[in-house]
Structures are given as C-alpha cells and as structure tokens.
Amino acid sequence: MSITASFAEDFWVRRAFGFAGYTFLVWDHILTFEREITYIWKAPWTISKGAFLINRYGNIASQTFVCLEEIGWLSDGSQTWCQRFKIFGAMYALVATESVHILVLMRAWAIWGCTRRMAIWLLLTYTIYFSLMFGMTVFESTKIRFQTFQYLSLTGVCVGTTPKYVWFIFILSFSLDAIVFILTTRSLRRYSRSSRHLYPSTLIYRLFKDIIIFFLACTADNMVRAIMWTVYATRPQYFISITVSVPFICTVGQRLVLNLRGLQAHTYTTGELSREVDRQMMAFISQGDDREDHYAQPIKESVSQSTGTGGPKQGDGDDADIIVTRITTTEELPTSSETCTTIIS
C-alpha cells in the first residue's frame, strides 16, 4: 500500500513544525544559558529552583527523544512500541505543562501573602485540577492500545489519531489560568496602590508584565492544542501540540523565572527608608487592629536604624532592605516574608 499525496503533505508539515519547535527550544536554551548559570545554579536550592531545572532539562531530553522518533530511528515498524510512545507523549505533555503551572502558582501564593489559608486553598484546588487532568489522560491513553498507526511500515514514524473528547482537558487548564490571573492581578493592583506614596516599583511592574504575558501565552497554547486535537484529530498534524506547543509554553515560563531572578535589588537610602517606615506606621495606627503589637518590634528596629543617633552604620543597607521586606504592606501582612521573597524569585 502506497502513501497518499494528502498524507505525505500532512506528514511533511508535521515533521517541519516538529524540527522547528526543537530548534526554537535549543536555541533559546543557548541564549539564556549564561543567565541560568548566574541566577539559577548559583542560587540556593529551593522548590522553585528544582521545578525550573526539572522543566528545563526534562523538556530538552524529552523533545530530543521525540525528534529521534520523528526521524524514524526508534519505532522499527512496531505497533506495540508506537502505543507506548503515544502514552509517553501524553504523560510528557502533562508533566511539562504542570511543572510550569507549579512555578506560577508558587509565585501567585507569594504575591497573595504566603498565608496558610491561601496555601490550603491552592493545594486543594490544584490537587483536584491535577487529578482530573491525570485521570482524563490515563483514560484516553487506555484507548491507544486499540489504535493502528498509519503507514508505519513505510514511514517508520508513529502517526496515530487523537481521542475524540481529549481537548476538554484544556478547558480545565484555561479555567485554572484564568482564576490565578484574576486573583494575582487583583492582589498586585491592591499592593501597588498601597505603595504609591514611596516610588514606582520595578518589581511590581515586572510581576504585572510577567503574569499578563504568561496568561496570554497559556491561552494561546490551549487554543492551539484544542484546534490541533479537533480539526486535525485524524491527521498527522495533531502531533504539533507536542512538538511545538509544549516547548513554547515551557520556554515562556522559564524566561519569566529568569527575568525575575535578574531583577537587581533596590538600594534604600536613609530618607527613603524613613518615609516608608513612617507611612506604614501611620497605616497601622489608622487600622488599629491586633497586628500592630505583633509587628511593633520590627518597626522600632527600622526606626532606630533609619533615624537613630550617629546615622546609619557602614553596611547597614542590607539589614534595612530585609526590614522593609519584613514589614511589607498593611493590606495583608504575610506570616513569613523571607519565604515569600525566596519563592517569588
């Protein structure tokens, strides 16, 4: 049986896009490798650092494996091997996408104040979301063993079809992205209003820009995957959702992490520190809530360093930065600001 002209054209498009996606992924890795060494490898080990490295190098290794299959070096004309490869592709796309989601959710939790209640809400929401995603992926993967891959003996490449309703997975993904985007921008807007008396914050601007870019990228990614898994469900192009969409969304997430890590810390002068302490003290007085006693000591320490006798000592700038981070904003004081700062960066 010979290959039809339409299949040959579709197969060529699939391969071209696949190699383009791999080239994009590797080239971006080369461009950002120096920043990765500076901001990731030299930084202390945290959960966000581990998730970043797993996503970055796991993605490159998996895409290399996929490209070798697309060349026709792995299948050896075996239907059984192709069934296993199809399951691997589904699981790889899920893990790669969700490792990026974890980085974004950790940043969102830090922006929301690192409160225990928000951590519990995020954990429950994400557990339900991931369970549904994983369950649907496994359920659809069980149908793969009944598939017959097209022209396998002639192409040497696993060209199957997409399950009928699998694109519903991306409704869940879009819903999670939308909720996180709305709540995060609301928190950032509230914080920017409370800080407008001091000076414009590069960190706030970068967080606003990053969350908007990532939400738009996730929305585009979900739309492309839904189109590929419906319009091209029975044609070779459906695999573009693995070879192009996954590298794209992972690269966007990685660049956001590197951009934030590259932010230079602001050096507070004695006058700036004094104005910020005065502003937050007035806010505490006007609120008159129970949190005032809990945060009284850090404020007193801030005042003693910014307005004490003898002026600021040599090397006090770093301590001052930590104190300003510790008292943060009066809208919602986090239980551990040091942890928040670490997670965000």
Side-chain angles (χ1 to χ4, degrees):
M1 181 176 61
S2 61
I3 298 176
T4 63
S6 60
F7 180 88
E9 182 179 351
D10 293 343
F11 185 67
W12 181 87
V13 171
R14 162 177 163 152
R15 274 188 164 182
F17 272 91
F19 295 142
Y22 184 73
T23 303
F24 168 76
L25 180 67
V26 174
W27 181 244
D28 186 78
H29 186 96
I30 295 173
L31 292 178
T32 57
F33 184 71
E34 184 177 355
R35 296 167 64 195
E36 176 192 336
I37 296 296
T38 303
Y39 302 130
I40 302 297
W41 286 107
K42 294 182 179 180
W45 279 97
T46 61
I47 297 176
S48 62
K49 176 179 177 177
F52 176 89
L53 293 176
I54 290 173
N55 179 273
R56 190 167 175 86
Y57 288 95
N59 198 27
I60 288 181
S62 298
Q63 285 292 335
T64 301
F65 181 72
V66 169
C67 280
L68 291 177
E69 193 282 328
E70 288 293 283
I71 296 174
W73 289 0
L74 302 179
S75 68
D76 197 26
S78 171
Q79 292 281 343
T80 302
W81 193 94
C82 284
Q83 292 168 0
R84 294 172 180 172
F85 175 78
K86 188 84 177 287
I87 295 175
F88 161 79
M91 293 301 175
Y92 155 64
L94 178 64
V95 173
T97 304
E98 294 316 309
S99 59
V100 174
H101 269 142
I102 289 174
L103 288 171
V104 175
L105 287 175
M106 290 175 63
R107 177 184 296 185
W109 178 57
I111 293 172
W112 296 340
C114 293
T115 61
R116 179 173 299 179
R117 184 181 66 177
M118 188 58 68
I120 295 174
W121 181 87
L122 275 176
L123 182 61
L124 290 176
T125 302
Y126 188 76
T127 300
I128 295 173
Y129 159 79
F130 184 80
S131 299
L132 291 173
M133 293 279 287
F134 183 77
M136 293 178 68
T137 302
V138 171
F139 175 74
E140 296 297 343
S141 297
T142 59
K143 300 180 181 180
I144 293 175
R145 59 183 177 177
F146 302 109
Q147 278 192 17
T148 299
F149 293 85
Q150 308 172 58
Y151 303 105
L152 179 58
S153 60
L154 298 176
T155 63
V157 178
C158 303
V159 181
T161 57
T162 302
K164 189 173 183 180
Y165 298 107
V166 71
W167 63 274
F168 278 114
I169 289 177
F170 301 110
I171 295 180
L172 296 175
S173 181
F174 175 77
S175 300
L176 177 68
D177 294 333
I179 291 173
V180 172
F181 173 74
I182 293 172
L183 293 179
T184 303
T185 51
R186 180 176 176 271
S187 296
L188 287 174
R189 186 167 178 265
R190 183 176 59 186
Y191 181 79
S192 62
R193 284 181 174 180
S194 67
S195 302
R196 68 183 182 274
H197 302 290
L198 188 60
Y199 40 78
S201 171
T202 305
L203 177 61
I204 295 297
Y205 170 76
R206 179 61 59 85
L207 290 173
F208 260 122
K209 187 180 74 171
D210 283 1
I211 198 65
I212 292 173
I213 291 175
F214 188 78
F215 175 71
L216 294 177
C218 286
T219 302
D221 174 66
N222 288 325
M223 291 178 63
V224 168
R225 293 201 202 187
I227 292 172
M228 289 298 167
W229 287 14
T230 51
V231 178
Y232 300 101
T234 59
R235 299 169 63 180
Q237 291 98 320
Y238 82 90
F239 204 64
I240 292 176
S241 62
I242 302 293
T243 56
V244 176
S245 293
V246 174
F248 168 73
I249 197 64
C250 290
T251 299
V252 171
Q254 292 165 13
R255 276 191 169 266
L256 295 187
V257 173
L258 292 174
N259 289 343
L260 189 59
R261 290 262 180 157
L263 283 175
Q264 299 297 320
H266 182 82
T267 302
Y268 294 93
T269 66
T270 303
E272 290 174 337
L273 179 62
S274 178
R275 288 196 300 273
E276 175 64 4
V277 170
D278 291 342
R279 183 187 69 80
Q280 295 202 25
M281 288 182 66
M282 292 300 296
F284 272 104
I285 294 173
S286 63
Q287 285 187 348
D289 57 17
D290 295 334
R291 292 178 295 184
E292 183 176 357
D293 294 335
H294 182 72
Y295 287 92
Q297 186 62 33
I299 294 176
K300 290 178 180 179
E301 293 174 3
S302 303
V303 173
S304 64
Q305 289 196 13
S306 61
T307 59
T309 56
K313 298 179 181 180
Q314 183 71 22
D316 282 351
D318 294 338
D319 296 334
D321 289 349
I322 295 174
I323 293 172
V324 169
T325 305
R326 187 176 298 147
I327 59 180
T328 62
T329 175
T330 58
E331 289 287 340
E332 185 177 16
L333 294 171
T335 56
S336 178
S337 299
E338 292 85 353
T339 303
C340 284
T341 304
T342 301
I343 291 175
I344 289 179
S345 59

